[in-house]
Amino acid sequence: QVQLVESGGGLVQAGGSLTLSCVVSGSTDSIGTLGWYRQAPGKQRELVAFITRIYTTTYADSIKGRFTISRDNAKSTINLQMNSLKPEDTAVYYCYGDIAPAGFLVRKFWGQGTQVTVSS
């Protein structure tokens, strides 16, 4: 069974840094694009960043220059390095991936979410 497990959330002061990690576990035929969404209270879920299997990256305008996404294909892991955090970055961050479980077609999988809180 394919699972995405996030770690690294927490409470940080404005201007601080956090690194989120997401590991893909389970038997897979392929792991394609991996990325992060976030959802703040009362707001819609929004795309933060994603990275393709060949390491092409895309970022939301709101976090460009502050966040960096990376991946390790050998470890089926992605990281989101978040610097210069702002109170408006407070949200639950969800890892996602376009993954083909062994013997099945590609579909989107989601992690359980990790809370990031930035205090002013």
Side-chain angles (χ1 to χ4, degrees):
Q1 183 178 354
V2 173
Q3 290 186 317
L4 277 65
V5 180
E6 301 116 331
S7 60
L11 173 64
V12 65
Q13 288 189 330
S17 298
L18 281 175
T19 300
L20 305 183
S21 296
C22 175
V23 178
V24 179
S25 65
S27 181
T28 63
D29 283 342
S30 69
I31 300 175
T33 296
L34 297 170
W36 297 90
Y37 274 77
R38 68 185 182 184
Q39 188 166 20
K43 295 188 176 181
Q44 288 190 328
R45 190 173 293 192
E46 64 171 348
L47 178 67
V48 176
F50 63 87
I51 183 168
T52 69
R53 185 168 179 80
I54 58 171
Y55 305 103
T56 303
T57 58
T58 300
Y59 296 95
D61 288 342
S62 59
I63 56 89
K64 276 182 183 176
R66 300 188 297 120
F67 292 10
T68 302
I69 190 170
S70 61
R71 75 186 278 168
D72 183 334
N73 286 336
K75 296 181 179 179
S76 300
T77 299
I78 58 168
N79 293 314
L80 186 68
Q81 174 67 43
M82 306 185 293
N83 298 326
S84 303
L85 282 161
K86 304 175 181 180
E88 51 263 43
D89 295 318
T90 295
V92 178
Y93 284 70
Y94 297 91
C95 174
Y96 80 94
D98 296 323
I99 299 168
F104 293 88
L105 297 176
V106 172
R107 69 176 181 89
K108 197 170 249 73
F109 285 84
W110 293 90
Q112 79 284 359
T114 186
Q115 176 70 46
V116 172
T117 303
V118 184
S119 63
S120 58

